[in-house]
Amino acid sequence: MSNYHIKHLEEYYQIYRKSVRNPENFWEEVAEEHFEWRKRWDKVLDWDFTKPEIKWFQGAKLNITENCIDRHLHIRGNKTAILFEPNDPKEEAQHITYRQLHEKVCRFANVLREKGIGKGDRVIIYLPMIPELAFAVLACARIGAIHSVVFAGFSSTALSTRINDCGAKMVLTSDGSFRGSKTIDLKGIVDEALKSCKSVEKVLVAKRINSDIHMEEGRDEWLQPLLDVAYSDCSAEVMDAEDPLFILYTSGSTGRPKGMLHTTGGYMVYTAYTFKNVFQYREEDIYWCTADIGWITGHSYIVYGPLANGATTVMFEGVPSYPDFGRFWEVVEKHKINQFYTAPTAIRALAKENLGFVNTYDLSSLKVLGTVGEPINEEAWHWYNDHVGEKKCPIVDTWWQTETGGILISPIPFSTPTKPTYATLPMPGVQPALMDENGEEIKGNPADGRLCIKFPWPSMARSIWGDHQRYKDTYFSAYGNKYFTGDGALRDEVGYYRITGRVDDVIIVSGHNLGTAPIEDAINEHPAVAESAIVGFPHDIKGNALYGYVILKETGETRVKDNLRKEINQVITEHIGPIAKLDKIQFVPGLPKTRSGKIMRRILRKIASKDTSNLGDTSTLLNPEVVEDIMQEAL
Ligand code: PRX
């Protein structure tokens, strides 16, 4: 029995028990058998959740790109590593072999070195889903620079906040991007962001849309001419297992975005291990994850996990609705996709369209279907199962987070019987716990509580960049010696987990994590706004949408209010990005507050969800009368 590849349920339970009885032995075996290390570790694990400090494979030396690229060259040199499917179906797909990937990454890495980037420097990557994005990520890893990819849908303010937070020396971007029928001026957004960033010395620009852009003398350079003259081989920086690999920002319920810091060795081992098992990847398979590399899903399951297994991984530049709602299925047929991994919001959007969009295409190559990012509702699960998988493909509902680095709870296809809306069982080495209101672990099944993880796993984030105290406060202070996920969950009679959603002020809209505080801060910047509160409410396609309650400094006419709504969403777009726009904006005379001045979001959530039959006790409010006013005018 190999620990690395689980093939049936009995084997899963056996391996799981072993992994919990002796996690160090378990991960040591996996690490030893399946990766190339320049030097072996001195100690498998050192941890203390009270500090918190987590170290895996201490003393080991490696470079993750040697594991993702170089070691495949002699057996898989001509195998496609990255299959690029452009936004426009008329543009040809690109098959980039492992040998070509090696050359591209080496050239890029040499350019970075030549431009003064070295080990430990932060590089912001603000690129669309084009091959250069993957090359950029890997080129940073090749030379030990810390990449921080910022999703190319974020605004200039969001971009500059991230650049300044990590003190990036360089930005990698493109002249623009294609997104469905639109083009986006990425370089213009970078220029705007850099007006308030001092640390950036160089901007390298990839050409994608051939637009006429401003190039700042001395700062900006086109990437391609530099790549053309760079050496095609590049020695890999030898990294410590615990050296930083990347920073990825995620929203918190309050304050600035958190720069989650991931390190090298444990992240590589865990993402590769989970990729192999959760997708049951086999050598000839073509795997497609539709996420953007700007999110953790893309880092772990488009780039690192698949490439560490020598897989063929698809990068898709487009959107599911362009040129029509059949695009995903057209791509599945065209490239004979075997594993397909997407988000519930995409499934719900496509399920609303005519079934003809699915049935036109031959989807018989599909073996495993995945979902991630938010709870999948039963209806969407069945639609995916019946119409895409034709009831033959197990659905892996994978639960994890930016902070966890890799999938923690998921069925293993062909082993774990699936159950709609349940992420089912923990991966080997993962020890979940459900906690009650008193902070006690709930033993036995069934159970309903807050989800914690009791023991470290190799790919967990090690810190928040520049703010270790915040890391401790956010994840390790609520439940003593445990990692708190921020999610609620149920456990059924057989021990299957169902994630029910966030229990804090993070709202997941179309699979994107949005903190309420930054959006409220943005709205409050509008000169007419005195105060605001944001809550989520159920939405057919997005899962949740945003409802804003806004107090104006002066009350105006309805006509003016409609303009104000547009302006408020404009301010949000400028500060965060269009993904954080509000679906509903209600102007209110006041907000329900406790006597200590805290907004009672529970009440606002109920009103937004049209669930006002039981608002709970409002008598402790400072201003109970305002609740009636808000209800009367609710949208
Ligand atoms: O609430 C959970 C939800 O997404 C959150 C993590 O978001 P993010 O860091 O952006 O990472 C998303 C991609 C890994 C979690 O705290 N979530 C993620 N996957 C699921 C989920 N909720 C229910 N079921 C899932 N499969």
Side-chain angles (χ1 to χ4, degrees), residues 513-554:
N513 268 11
L514 298 171
T516 50
I519 305 176
E520 289 162 6
D521 291 347
I523 299 175
N524 299 348
E525 295 274 309
H526 190 288
V529 173
E531 201 183 349
S532 61
I534 304 296
V535 296
F537 70 100
H539 185 280
D540 276 1
I541 291 173
K542 300 180 186 183
N544 295 295
L546 299 177
Y547 192 121
Y549 297 90
V550 175
I551 307 178
L552 294 176
K553 288 181 180 154
E554 285 168 45

CSV table of all heavy atoms in Angstrom, one decimal, residues 513-554:
chain,number,residue,atom,x,y,z
A,513,ASN,N,-14.1,36.1,-1.2
A,513,ASN,CA,-14.2,36.5,0.2
A,513,ASN,C,-14.1,38.0,0.3
A,513,ASN,O,-13.2,38.6,-0.2
A,513,ASN,CB,-12.9,36.0,0.9
A,513,ASN,CG,-13.1,34.7,1.5
A,513,ASN,OD1,-14.1,34.0,1.2
A,513,ASN,ND2,-12.1,34.3,2.4
A,514,LEU,N,-15.2,38.5,0.9
A,514,LEU,CA,-15.2,40.0,1.1
A,514,LEU,C,-15.4,40.3,2.5
A,514,LEU,O,-16.3,39.8,3.2
A,514,LEU,CB,-16.3,40.6,0.2
A,514,LEU,CG,-16.1,40.4,-1.3
A,514,LEU,CD1,-17.4,40.8,-2.0
A,514,LEU,CD2,-14.9,41.1,-1.9
A,515,GLY,N,-14.5,41.2,3.1
A,515,GLY,CA,-14.7,41.6,4.5
A,515,GLY,C,-15.7,42.8,4.4
A,515,GLY,O,-15.6,43.6,3.5
A,516,THR,N,-16.5,42.9,5.5
A,516,THR,CA,-17.5,44.0,5.5
A,516,THR,C,-16.8,45.4,5.7
A,516,THR,O,-17.1,46.4,5.2
A,516,THR,CB,-18.6,43.8,6.5
A,516,THR,OG1,-17.9,43.5,7.8
A,516,THR,CG2,-19.5,42.7,6.1
A,517,ALA,N,-15.8,45.3,6.6
A,517,ALA,CA,-15.2,46.6,7.1
A,517,ALA,C,-14.5,47.4,5.9
A,517,ALA,O,-14.8,48.6,5.8
A,517,ALA,CB,-14.1,46.3,8.2
A,518,PRO,N,-13.7,46.8,5.0
A,518,PRO,CA,-13.1,47.6,4.0
A,518,PRO,C,-14.2,48.2,3.0
A,518,PRO,O,-14.0,49.3,2.5
A,518,PRO,CB,-12.2,46.5,3.2
A,518,PRO,CG,-12.2,45.3,4.0
A,518,PRO,CD,-13.2,45.4,5.1
A,519,ILE,N,-15.3,47.5,2.8
A,519,ILE,CA,-16.3,48.0,1.9
A,519,ILE,C,-17.0,49.2,2.6
A,519,ILE,O,-17.2,50.2,2.0
A,519,ILE,CB,-17.4,46.9,1.6
A,519,ILE,CG1,-16.7,45.7,1.0
A,519,ILE,CG2,-18.4,47.5,0.6
A,519,ILE,CD1,-17.6,44.5,0.7
A,520,GLU,N,-17.3,49.0,3.9
A,520,GLU,CA,-17.9,50.2,4.6
A,520,GLU,C,-16.9,51.4,4.6
A,520,GLU,O,-17.3,52.5,4.4
A,520,GLU,CB,-18.2,49.7,6.1
A,520,GLU,CG,-19.4,48.7,6.1
A,520,GLU,CD,-19.5,48.0,7.4
A,520,GLU,OE1,-18.7,48.2,8.4
A,520,GLU,OE2,-20.3,47.1,7.5
A,521,ASP,N,-15.6,51.1,4.8
A,521,ASP,CA,-14.7,52.2,4.8
A,521,ASP,C,-14.7,52.9,3.5
A,521,ASP,O,-14.7,54.1,3.4
A,521,ASP,CB,-13.2,51.7,5.0
A,521,ASP,CG,-13.0,51.2,6.5
A,521,ASP,OD1,-13.9,51.5,7.3
A,521,ASP,OD2,-12.0,50.5,6.7
A,522,ALA,N,-14.8,52.1,2.4
A,522,ALA,CA,-14.9,52.7,1.1
A,522,ALA,C,-16.1,53.6,0.9
A,522,ALA,O,-16.0,54.8,0.5
A,522,ALA,CB,-14.8,51.6,0.0
A,523,ILE,N,-17.3,53.1,1.3
A,523,ILE,CA,-18.5,53.8,1.1
A,523,ILE,C,-18.5,55.1,1.9
A,523,ILE,O,-18.9,56.2,1.5
A,523,ILE,CB,-19.7,53.0,1.7
A,523,ILE,CG1,-19.9,51.7,0.9
A,523,ILE,CG2,-21.0,53.8,1.6
A,523,ILE,CD1,-20.9,50.8,1.4
A,524,ASN,N,-17.9,55.0,3.1
A,524,ASN,CA,-17.8,56.2,4.0
A,524,ASN,C,-17.0,57.3,3.4
A,524,ASN,O,-17.0,58.5,3.9
A,524,ASN,CB,-17.4,55.8,5.4
A,524,ASN,CG,-18.4,54.8,6.0
A,524,ASN,OD1,-19.5,54.6,5.5
A,524,ASN,ND2,-18.0,54.2,7.1
A,525,GLU,N,-16.2,57.0,2.4
A,525,GLU,CA,-15.4,58.0,1.7
A,525,GLU,C,-16.2,58.9,0.9
A,525,GLU,O,-15.8,60.0,0.5
A,525,GLU,CB,-14.4,57.3,0.8
A,525,GLU,CG,-13.3,56.5,1.4
A,525,GLU,CD,-12.1,57.3,1.9
A,525,GLU,OE1,-11.6,58.1,1.0
A,525,GLU,OE2,-11.7,57.2,3.1
A,526,HIS,N,-17.4,58.4,0.5
A,526,HIS,CA,-18.3,59.3,-0.3
A,526,HIS,C,-18.7,60.5,0.5
A,526,HIS,O,-19.2,60.3,1.7
A,526,HIS,CB,-19.5,58.5,-0.8
A,526,HIS,CG,-20.3,59.2,-1.8
A,526,HIS,ND1,-21.1,60.3,-1.5
A,526,HIS,CD2,-20.4,59.0,-3.1
A,526,HIS,CE1,-21.7,60.8,-2.6
A,526,HIS,NE2,-21.3,60.0,-3.6
A,527,PRO,N,-18.6,61.7,0.0
A,527,PRO,CA,-18.9,62.9,0.8
A,527,PRO,C,-20.3,63.0,1.4
A,527,PRO,O,-20.5,63.6,2.4
A,527,PRO,CB,-18.6,64.1,-0.1
A,527,PRO,CG,-18.4,63.5,-1.5
A,527,PRO,CD,-18.1,62.0,-1.3
A,528,ALA,N,-21.3,62.3,0.7
A,528,ALA,CA,-22.6,62.4,1.2
A,528,ALA,C,-23.0,61.4,2.3
A,528,ALA,O,-24.0,61.4,2.9
A,528,ALA,CB,-23.6,62.2,0.1
A,529,VAL,N,-22.0,60.5,2.6
A,529,VAL,CA,-22.3,59.3,3.5
A,529,VAL,C,-21.8,59.6,4.9
A,529,VAL,O,-20.7,60.0,5.1
A,529,VAL,CB,-21.7,58.0,2.9
A,529,VAL,CG1,-21.9,56.9,4.0
A,529,VAL,CG2,-22.3,57.7,1.6
A,530,ALA,N,-22.7,59.4,5.9
A,530,ALA,CA,-22.3,59.6,7.3
A,530,ALA,C,-21.8,58.3,7.8
A,530,ALA,O,-20.8,58.2,8.5
A,530,ALA,CB,-23.5,60.1,8.1
A,531,GLU,N,-22.6,57.2,7.6
A,531,GLU,CA,-22.2,55.9,8.1
A,531,GLU,C,-22.8,54.8,7.3
A,531,GLU,O,-23.8,55.0,6.6
A,531,GLU,CB,-22.7,55.8,9.6
A,531,GLU,CG,-22.0,54.7,10.4
A,531,GLU,CD,-22.5,54.6,11.8
A,531,GLU,OE1,-23.4,55.4,12.2
A,531,GLU,OE2,-22.1,53.6,12.4
A,532,SER,N,-22.3,53.6,7.4
A,532,SER,CA,-22.9,52.5,6.6
A,532,SER,C,-22.6,51.1,7.3
A,532,SER,O,-21.7,51.0,8.1
A,532,SER,CB,-22.3,52.5,5.2
A,532,SER,OG,-20.9,52.3,5.3
A,533,ALA,N,-23.4,50.2,6.9
A,533,ALA,CA,-23.2,48.8,7.3
A,533,ALA,C,-23.6,47.9,6.2
A,533,ALA,O,-24.6,48.0,5.5
A,533,ALA,CB,-24.1,48.5,8.5
A,534,ILE,N,-22.7,46.9,6.0
A,534,ILE,CA,-22.9,45.9,4.9
A,534,ILE,C,-23.3,44.5,5.5
A,534,ILE,O,-22.6,44.1,6.5
A,534,ILE,CB,-21.6,45.7,4.1
A,534,ILE,CG1,-21.1,47.0,3.6
A,534,ILE,CG2,-21.8,44.7,3.0
A,534,ILE,CD1,-22.0,47.7,2.6
A,535,VAL,N,-24.3,43.9,4.9
A,535,VAL,CA,-24.5,42.5,5.3
A,535,VAL,C,-24.7,41.7,4.0
A,535,VAL,O,-24.9,42.2,2.9
A,535,VAL,CB,-25.8,42.3,6.2
A,535,VAL,CG1,-25.6,43.0,7.5
A,535,VAL,CG2,-27.0,42.8,5.5
A,536,GLY,N,-24.7,40.3,4.1
A,536,GLY,CA,-25.0,39.5,3.0
A,536,GLY,C,-26.4,39.1,3.0
A,536,GLY,O,-27.0,39.0,4.0
A,537,PHE,N,-26.9,38.7,1.8
A,537,PHE,CA,-28.3,38.1,1.8
A,537,PHE,C,-28.2,37.1,0.6
A,537,PHE,O,-27.4,37.2,-0.3
A,537,PHE,CB,-29.4,39.2,1.6
A,537,PHE,CG,-29.4,39.8,0.2
A,537,PHE,CD1,-30.3,39.4,-0.8
A,537,PHE,CD2,-28.5,40.9,-0.1
A,537,PHE,CE1,-30.3,40.0,-2.0
A,537,PHE,CE2,-28.5,41.5,-1.3
A,537,PHE,CZ,-29.4,41.1,-2.3
A,538,PRO,N,-29.1,36.0,0.7
A,538,PRO,CA,-29.0,34.9,-0.2
A,538,PRO,C,-29.3,35.4,-1.7
A,538,PRO,O,-30.2,36.2,-1.9
A,538,PRO,CB,-30.1,34.0,0.2
A,538,PRO,CG,-30.4,34.4,1.6
A,538,PRO,CD,-30.1,35.8,1.7
A,539,HIS,N,-28.5,34.9,-2.6
A,539,HIS,CA,-28.7,35.3,-4.0
A,539,HIS,C,-28.6,34.0,-4.8
A,539,HIS,O,-27.7,33.1,-4.6
A,539,HIS,CB,-27.6,36.2,-4.4
A,539,HIS,CG,-27.7,36.8,-5.8
A,539,HIS,ND1,-27.3,36.1,-6.9
A,539,HIS,CD2,-28.2,38.0,-6.2
A,539,HIS,CE1,-27.5,36.8,-8.0
A,539,HIS,NE2,-28.1,38.0,-7.6
A,540,ASP,N,-29.5,33.9,-5.8
A,540,ASP,CA,-29.6,32.6,-6.6
A,540,ASP,C,-28.3,32.2,-7.3
A,540,ASP,O,-28.0,31.0,-7.4
A,540,ASP,CB,-30.5,32.9,-7.8
A,540,ASP,CG,-32.0,32.7,-7.4
A,540,ASP,OD1,-32.2,32.4,-6.2
A,540,ASP,OD2,-32.9,32.9,-8.2
A,541,ILE,N,-27.5,33.1,-7.8
A,541,ILE,CA,-26.3,32.8,-8.5
A,541,ILE,C,-25.1,33.0,-7.7
A,541,ILE,O,-24.2,32.2,-7.6
A,541,ILE,CB,-26.3,33.5,-9.9
A,541,ILE,CG1,-27.4,33.0,-10.8
A,541,ILE,CG2,-24.9,33.3,-10.6
A,541,ILE,CD1,-27.6,33.7,-12.1
A,542,LYS,N,-25.0,34.2,-7.1
A,542,LYS,CA,-23.8,34.5,-6.4
A,542,LYS,C,-23.6,33.8,-5.1
A,542,LYS,O,-22.6,33.9,-4.4
A,542,LYS,CB,-23.8,36.0,-6.1
A,542,LYS,CG,-23.8,36.9,-7.4
A,542,LYS,CD,-23.8,38.4,-6.9
A,542,LYS,CE,-24.0,39.3,-8.1
A,542,LYS,NZ,-23.9,40.7,-7.7
A,543,GLY,N,-24.7,33.1,-4.6
A,543,GLY,CA,-24.6,32.5,-3.3
A,543,GLY,C,-25.1,33.5,-2.2
A,543,GLY,O,-26.1,33.4,-1.6
A,544,ASN,N,-24.2,34.6,-2.1
A,544,ASN,CA,-24.6,35.7,-1.3
A,544,ASN,C,-24.4,37.0,-2.1
A,544,ASN,O,-23.5,37.0,-3.0
A,544,ASN,CB,-23.7,35.9,-0.1
A,544,ASN,CG,-23.8,34.8,0.9
A,544,ASN,OD1,-24.9,34.6,1.5
A,544,ASN,ND2,-22.7,34.0,1.0
A,545,ALA,N,-25.2,38.0,-1.9
A,545,ALA,CA,-25.0,39.3,-2.5
A,545,ALA,C,-24.9,40.3,-1.3
A,545,ALA,O,-25.2,40.0,-0.2
A,545,ALA,CB,-26.1,39.7,-3.5
A,546,LEU,N,-24.5,41.5,-1.7
A,546,LEU,CA,-24.3,42.5,-0.6
A,546,LEU,C,-25.4,43.5,-0.5
A,546,LEU,O,-25.9,44.0,-1.5
A,546,LEU,CB,-23.0,43.3,-0.8
A,546,LEU,CG,-21.7,42.4,-0.9
A,546,LEU,CD1,-20.5,43.3,-1.2
A,546,LEU,CD2,-21.5,41.7,0.5
A,547,TYR,N,-25.8,43.8,0.7
A,547,TYR,CA,-26.9,44.7,1.0
A,547,TYR,C,-26.3,45.8,1.9
A,547,TYR,O,-25.7,45.5,2.9
A,547,TYR,CB,-28.0,44.0,1.8
A,547,TYR,CG,-29.3,44.7,1.9
A,547,TYR,CD1,-30.5,44.1,1.5
A,547,TYR,CD2,-29.5,45.9,2.6
A,547,TYR,CE1,-31.8,44.7,1.6
A,547,TYR,CE2,-30.7,46.5,2.8
A,547,TYR,CZ,-31.8,45.9,2.3
A,547,TYR,OH,-33.1,46.5,2.4
A,548,GLY,N,-26.4,47.0,1.4
A,548,GLY,CA,-25.8,48.1,2.2
A,548,GLY,C,-26.9,49.0,2.8
A,548,GLY,O,-27.8,49.4,2.2
A,549,TYR,N,-26.7,49.3,4.1
A,549,TYR,CA,-27.6,50.2,4.8
A,549,TYR,C,-26.7,51.5,4.9
A,549,TYR,O,-25.6,51.5,5.5
A,549,TYR,CB,-28.0,49.7,6.2
A,549,TYR,CG,-28.8,48.5,6.1
A,549,TYR,CD1,-28.2,47.2,6.1
A,549,TYR,CD2,-30.2,48.5,6.1
A,549,TYR,CE1,-28.9,46.0,6.1
A,549,TYR,CE2,-30.9,47.4,6.0
A,549,TYR,CZ,-30.3,46.1,6.0
A,549,TYR,OH,-31.1,45.0,6.0
A,550,VAL,N,-27.2,52.6,4.4
A,550,VAL,CA,-26.4,53.8,4.4
A,550,VAL,C,-27.1,55.0,5.0
A,550,VAL,O,-28.3,55.3,4.7
A,550,VAL,CB,-26.1,54.2,2.9
A,550,VAL,CG1,-25.3,55.5,2.8
A,550,VAL,CG2,-25.2,53.1,2.3
A,551,ILE,N,-26.4,55.6,5.9
A,551,ILE,CA,-27.0,56.9,6.5
A,551,ILE,C,-26.4,58.0,5.8
A,551,ILE,O,-25.1,58.1,5.7
A,551,ILE,CB,-26.6,57.0,8.0
A,551,ILE,CG1,-27.0,55.7,8.8
A,551,ILE,CG2,-27.3,58.2,8.6
A,551,ILE,CD1,-26.7,55.8,10.3
A,552,LEU,N,-27.2,58.9,5.2
A,552,LEU,CA,-26.7,60.1,4.5
A,552,LEU,C,-26.5,61.2,5.5
A,552,LEU,O,-27.2,61.3,6.5
A,552,LEU,CB,-27.6,60.5,3.4
A,552,LEU,CG,-27.8,59.5,2.3
A,552,LEU,CD1,-28.8,59.9,1.3
A,552,LEU,CD2,-26.4,59.2,1.6
A,553,LYS,N,-25.6,62.1,5.2
A,553,LYS,CA,-25.5,63.3,6.0
A,553,LYS,C,-26.7,64.2,5.9
A,553,LYS,O,-27.2,64.8,6.9
A,553,LYS,CB,-24.2,64.1,5.5
A,553,LYS,CG,-22.9,63.4,5.9
A,553,LYS,CD,-21.7,64.1,5.5
A,553,LYS,CE,-20.5,63.4,5.9
A,553,LYS,NZ,-19.3,63.7,5.1
A,554,GLU,N,-27.2,64.3,4.7
A,554,GLU,CA,-28.5,65.0,4.5
A,554,GLU,C,-29.4,64.1,3.6
A,554,GLU,O,-28.9,63.5,2.7
A,554,GLU,CB,-28.3,66.3,3.7
A,554,GLU,CG,-27.6,67.4,4.5
A,554,GLU,CD,-27.2,68.5,3.6
A,554,GLU,OE1,-27.9,68.9,2.8
A,554,GLU,OE2,-26.0,69.0,3.8
